[in-house]
Amino acid sequence: MTEIPAVPPFYEEEHEEFRGLAREFVAREVAPHYARWDAEHLIPRSLWTAAGGAGLLGLAVPEEHGGMGLTDYRFRAVLDEELVRQGALGVALALHLNDDWVLPHLLAHGTGEQQRRWLPRILTGDLVTSVAWTEPGAGSDLRGVRTRAVRDGGQWVLNGQKTFIGNGISGDAALVLARTDGRTDRAGEDGFSLFLVHKADSPGYEVGTQLDKMGVRASDTAELFFEDVRVPHAHLIGAEGGGLRQIQELLPQGRLAVAVAAGAVARSTLESTLRYTGERTAFGSRVLDFQHSRFELAELTVEVEVTEAYVQRAVHSFNAGTLDVVGASKAKYWASERAKAVTDRCLQLHGGYGYILDYPVAQAYLASRLLTIFGGTSEVLRETIGRDLASDG
Ligand SMILES: Cc1cc2nc3c(=O)[nH]c(=O)nc-3n(C[C@H](O)[C@H](O)[C@H](O)COP(=O)(O)OP(=O)(O)OC[C@H]3O[C@@H](n4cnc5c(N)ncnc54)[C@H](O)[C@@H]3O)c2cc1C
């Protein structure tokens, strides 16, 4: 397939070298097992330690903590592309939560002591983390969070409930958003704090029901309950009362991660559809040779390339330290909506087989349905983008 080349090329030699490592890892450790993990709704912990051993976790962790300090997001994008190419979006999502939603908080706001204790374990896959912000009564609107933490000497006493928590079953610790100003109203941006709460040494930390998702089933998603959980003050991440501001500050990386995954889903689905329509025949010709199919695929190809160019621009902007919440929201909005539309139209080109879960296009369709919801819904993203326009006007 001839593409308009990016000028200069998006990936350089070092990224392609890393791709070789990632591709080999995914082919060996993920692809042969992924269908089973999907059926079991669980990625085994051995995958995390294998990924840690291969140097694929915590890419941005600095060398002083044993990491590689790869803050260039193109390396993360390569890993995503390789996982998505093999249909393992559940693994990509599980790694996102750890590396793009939790790790940035530890890197930007963790104390020296917190970083020394936890970063090496994140690198080896011995500490798997989850993001515990959403509650039954508060998703898009985190000011509605009711989970509360009350200071008691050198500890905090945590009570509340979270839902939709990825890695909630398999993970060891959750980055919990809790109200710390003793109030319950919606006021007070300064009333929330973040805590890294460890499951093993926290009586009262209960994992509830595993939620039965329509797609990306290998990534476990659960409810969490906290009843009088005593959390050491040393597990407060960042400033007391600064939780919501920290989330806002670090949202660009999380939203960029979803945009990158969405671009990869759209690309790999387009490629598998080209292969399928090139092999499948009807009325004596290949499906690819019907004028309607060619027009569809021509349009989809341009959409995928435009999406990639837009996401790549966002990655460059992130690397330069200039990607703000609005920019990341635009990239996530565009790429996730495109992934949803592209996978839908590609499914149609597969006929009945597109509806069968054994086919990658069916899995991609279900996975992409999540991408316009998780990490900021498309409606909330348009609000963010629109408010920015209005404030400029
Ligand atoms: C599979 C899965 C995994 C997830 N993983 C995690 C996780 O690991 N950790 C975590 O904390 N959360 C997680 N989430 C939660 C996810 O981020 C929320 O579902 C999402 O933010 C939306 O919140 P909500 O479900 O409460 O919907 P609501 O906020 O109730 O929204 C309902 C509808 O109202 C719309 N809406 C809301 N506000 C506005 C507005 N201002 N203007 C216009 N429309 C609006 C929404 O777009 C949506 O269409 C996950 C969700 C899913 C489905």
Side-chain angles (χ1 to χ4, degrees), residues 139-220:
S140 303
D141 178 15
L142 290 179
R143 284 200 193 196
V145 157
R146 291 295 186 98
T147 294
R148 64 188 187 284
V150 177
R151 185 90 188 247
D152 181 18
Q155 296 183 320
W156 292 81
V157 182
L158 185 69
N159 279 284
Q161 178 183 351
K162 298 288 177 181
T163 192
F164 295 132
I165 307 308
N167 299 342
I169 305 246
S170 54
D172 305 293
L175 187 64
V176 178
L177 180 69
R179 188 105 202 207
T180 45
D181 63 358
R183 294 168 60 167
T184 51
D185 59 354
R186 287 193 74 265
E189 197 193 29
D190 298 335
F192 300 84
S193 306
L194 288 164
F195 299 90
L196 192 68
V197 187
H198 290 244
K199 199 191 296 179
D201 45 16
S202 301
Y205 180 145
E206 298 293 336
V207 177
T209 320
Q210 175 158 5
L211 302 174
D212 194 9
K213 304 197 296 292
M214 56 194 261
V216 284
R217 292 160 82 100
S219 143
D220 64 89

Side-chain angles (χ1 to χ4, degrees), residues 6 21 33 55 76 89 96 140 166 242 269 302 331 337 349 363:
L21 177 81
H33 316 291
R76 284 283 298 124
L89 198 82
H96 277 182
S140 303
T269 305
V302 175
E337 288 292 339
L349 285 164
Q363 297 289 348

Side-chain angles (χ1 to χ4, degrees), residues 97 131 133-134 139-140 164-166 213 370 373-375 377 379-380:
L97 293 166
V131 181
W133 299 345
T134 306
S140 303
F164 295 132
I165 307 308
K213 304 197 296 292
L370 171 63
I373 296 170
F374 161 76
T377 65
E379 294 72 35
V380 167

Side-chain angles (χ1 to χ4, degrees), residues 98 192 207 244 297 316 335:
N98 199 62
F192 300 84
V207 177
L244 282 185
L297 287 161
H316 279 314

Side-chain angles (χ1 to χ4, degrees), residues 228-311:
D228 291 331
V229 176
R230 301 196 79 85
V231 183
H233 184 67
H235 289 220
L236 173 72
I237 308 296
E240 179 183 338
L244 282 185
R245 274 192 301 278
Q246 262 173 245
I247 287 175
Q248 188 74 2
E249 171 201 327
L250 297 169
L251 259 186
Q253 182 166 346
R255 290 196 172 156
L256 179 66
V258 183
V260 165
V265 168
R267 160 66 63 188
S268 75
T269 305
L270 172 67
E271 286 179 357
S272 65
T273 304
L274 278 167
R275 282 195 297 277
Y276 182 83
T277 53
E279 287 162 9
R280 178 78 178 167
T281 55
F283 299 98
S285 67
R286 301 185 306 169
V287 170
L288 178 59
D289 292 327
F290 296 130
Q291 188 187 50
H292 174 267
S293 307
R294 286 204 311 270
F295 279 11
E296 274 290 277
L297 287 161
E299 220 172 282
L300 292 171
T301 298
V302 175
E303 279 192 26
V304 168
E305 289 185 20
V306 168
T307 301
E308 283 173 336
Y310 196 46
V311 171

Side-chain angles (χ1 to χ4, degrees), residues 354-390:
Y355 201 66
I356 304 303
L357 288 173
D358 289 342
Y359 280 73
V361 71
Q363 297 289 348
Y365 172 79
L366 292 173
S368 67
R369 203 60 197 80
L370 171 63
L371 301 176
T372 60
I373 296 170
F374 161 76
T377 65
S378 286
E379 294 72 35
V380 167
L381 300 183
R382 275 176 285 180
E383 258 302 302
T384 305
I385 300 162
R387 268 203 310 271
D388 179 62
L389 294 175

